[in-house]
Amino acid sequence: MDKYVIQGDTIEKESHQGIIDKSPFIAWIHNISLNQQKYIKSRISKMNLGHDVRYIIFIYDNPDCSQEDLVNMFGQSKGNIAKALRKLEDDGFIKREINPENRRKYMLNTTQKGNNLVPKIRQVSKDWEKEVGITDNDYELKERIKEIAINGMKLIE
């Protein structure tokens, strides 16, 4: 049975998880991201990582990156990133080393434990993509979304 909600002066059909069909595009993108993170977390729950797995993957894919790189990519505060990195370091997934070119910054890298985890996370992510209907044929769509994300980052630089 369809469910309806009042939006201003109109009545609109409600869709899954309370998201209204006429929601802004960005709300749908946010929903996709959150649901993928929930799916991944449910598959690796024994590691108690949650959203922090995305930081491990980013560090793995970008050796010697900085905390600032994570802040820029994920739009999180420096404090939230620092807290997450501290936990990942304490849990043995990443290591921080002083950047010899700028002693006030750290270079981030995954440890062997982090290196071993990334392929598992990637497989869970691929499983999620398959389940939601993302295929290899969606290459152009993925590239366009990346382009939009990069343009958005440039706007706030």
Side-chain angles (χ1 to χ4, degrees):
M1 184 160 128
D2 290 334
K3 208 171 153 186
Y4 293 87
V5 294
I6 297 173
Q7 281 292 99
D9 294 336
T10 61
I11 297 175
E12 297 181 7
K13 188 170 102 177
E14 188 175 48
S15 60
H16 194 68
Q17 294 183 351
I19 296 177
I20 298 168
D21 287 339
K22 292 184 181 178
S23 293
F25 175 70
I26 197 65
W28 292 105
I29 297 292
H30 185 67
N31 180 272
I32 290 168
S33 176
L34 287 177
N35 282 311
Q36 184 196 37
Q37 291 301 318
K38 288 177 186 177
Y39 181 89
I40 291 171
K41 184 178 180 181
S42 74
R43 298 303 185 271
I44 59 169
S45 59
K46 64 183 175 216
M47 293 180 202
N48 196 27
L49 288 171
H51 287 76
D52 296 347
V53 297
R54 60 189 172 166
Y55 304 141
I56 297 170
I57 292 173
F58 183 87
I59 294 166
Y60 178 90
D61 289 341
N62 299 280
D64 296 333
C65 64
S66 69
Q67 178 176 325
E68 189 172 318
D69 294 330
L70 289 163
V71 167
N72 292 333
M73 181 64 196
F74 295 102
Q76 298 291 310
S77 71
K78 289 179 182 180
N80 284 343
I81 295 290
K83 182 179 174 184
L85 293 177
R86 199 167 18 260
K87 182 181 181 323
L88 292 174
E89 188 174 26
D90 291 347
D91 291 344
F93 292 105
I94 67 163
K95 60 185 173 189
R96 295 188 230 205
E97 300 171 281
I98 294 176
N99 184 334
E101 295 175 13
N102 183 344
R103 300 194 54 77
R104 292 180 294 160
K105 290 189 175 187
Y106 288 95
M107 298 182 309
L108 304 170
N109 289 288
T110 50
T111 62
Q112 190 59 49
K113 184 177 179 181
N115 293 343
N116 293 340
L117 179 64
V118 169
K120 294 173 188 171
I121 296 169
R122 286 220 161 102
Q123 183 57 55
V124 171
S125 185
K126 275 187 170 295
D127 294 344
W128 177 84
E129 287 182 7
K130 183 179 176 184
E131 290 293 323
V132 300
I134 297 172
T135 69
D136 292 338
N137 295 333
D138 293 322
Y139 176 80
E140 288 178 16
L141 174 64
K142 291 177 187 179
E143 289 302 308
R144 180 68 180 122
I145 289 171
K146 282 185 211 174
E147 181 182 325
I148 292 168
I150 290 167
N151 289 341
M153 286 188 280
K154 287 178 182 176
L155 280 176
I156 59 171
E157 285 181 340

